[in-house]
Amino acid sequence: MMTLFRFFGVILLITSGFFGSVDQAHAEPKQTSWQVVEQGVAELAAVFKANKGVYESDPQLLYSNLDEAMQPYVDFRYMSARVMGGRYFRAATPEQRSRFAVIFKDTLVKTFGQGLINFDYHAFDLQTQSGETRFVDQDNVVLDVVATDGKRYPVTFTLRLHNNEWKVINLIVNGINLGLTFNSQFDRAMRDNNRDFDRVIANWSPEQALDELEEREVNQ
């Protein structure tokens, strides 16, 4: 089960808090939220299939290609700000915010690539239903990951409409909100390191939170 969390750990953030809602009613988005998820998942799967053979010899090439494929579909800067949380985001300098955004993206892309290598999935089953969200400029799209043994794992994508485009800002994997998980990790790291932004940013890794999720799954 844990490799599923690593598989989707690239896309996450807390879905309420610092940023407010923006009225997008005046413009029709270029694609629906459902179409964005459908196209994004298909493109990432294709990029991975075309590049997985280089993983052993040049893993960075796989990560770079996955990073490029994700850019149109994932709002990494928004996500990183929400993972920091409103209090810490406001206290950080612009340089620290930008540095964390880069590290956040790079570490999640790497985690995602490793998850793709290790998780033995069979298919993605994109559902048609959407769920209620807190803001009018957000939507949820549900996808089931079908493993090779036939077991299905539900994944809920939360998307945000900004500048007339839907982009992914959070995932709930098998009932566990990855955004909340990473936000808690950042808060704990800040408290453990005496609110030292530079140290927390330099040592940031999604592996810590994902390892905790793995242990929780094993002990259930």
Side-chain angles (χ1 to χ4, degrees), residues 62-82:
L62 173 63
Y63 302 148
S64 296
N65 288 331
L66 289 173
D67 185 354
E68 184 177 355
M70 290 176 192
Q71 291 300 326
Y73 306 104
V74 183
D75 193 340
F76 283 109
R77 290 193 66 86
Y78 184 86
M79 290 162 55
S80 67
R82 297 291 292 275

Side-chain angles (χ1 to χ4, degrees), residues 113-128:
Q114 293 170 347
L116 281 169
I117 290 292
N118 293 315
F119 184 70
D120 196 11
Y121 71 94
H122 171 66
F124 302 109
D125 185 7
L126 189 61
Q127 308 298 308
T128 58

Side-chain angles (χ1 to χ4, degrees), residues 63-171:
Y63 302 148
S64 296
N65 288 331
L66 289 173
D67 185 354
E68 184 177 355
M70 290 176 192
Q71 291 300 326
Y73 306 104
V74 183
D75 193 340
F76 283 109
R77 290 193 66 86
Y78 184 86
M79 290 162 55
S80 67
R82 297 291 292 275
V83 167
M84 292 181 78
R87 177 171 52 128
Y88 293 131
F89 184 86
R90 288 188 293 269
T93 67
E95 188 275 335
Q96 287 169 332
R97 297 171 188 169
S98 296
R99 181 151 41 94
F100 180 66
V102 171
I103 290 176
F104 175 80
K105 177 181 68 69
D106 289 347
T107 55
L108 285 182
V109 169
K110 181 178 179 180
T111 299
F112 179 66
Q114 293 170 347
L116 281 169
I117 290 292
N118 293 315
F119 184 70
D120 196 11
Y121 71 94
H122 171 66
F124 302 109
D125 185 7
L126 189 61
Q127 308 298 308
T128 58
Q129 70 268 26
S130 294
E132 292 185 1
T133 56
R134 180 175 178 178
F135 301 120
V136 297
D137 61 341
Q138 290 186 7
D139 195 15
N140 289 332
V141 175
V142 180
L143 175 148
D144 283 350
V145 179
V146 184
T148 52
D149 62 2
K151 189 172 182 179
R152 303 174 75 90
Y153 299 97
V155 179
T156 300
F157 292 77
T158 297
L159 297 93
R160 170 180 178 249
L161 183 62
H162 181 65
N163 290 335
N164 205 28
E165 291 183 326
W166 288 103
K167 289 197 175 186
V168 175
I169 60 170
N170 189 39
L171 285 180

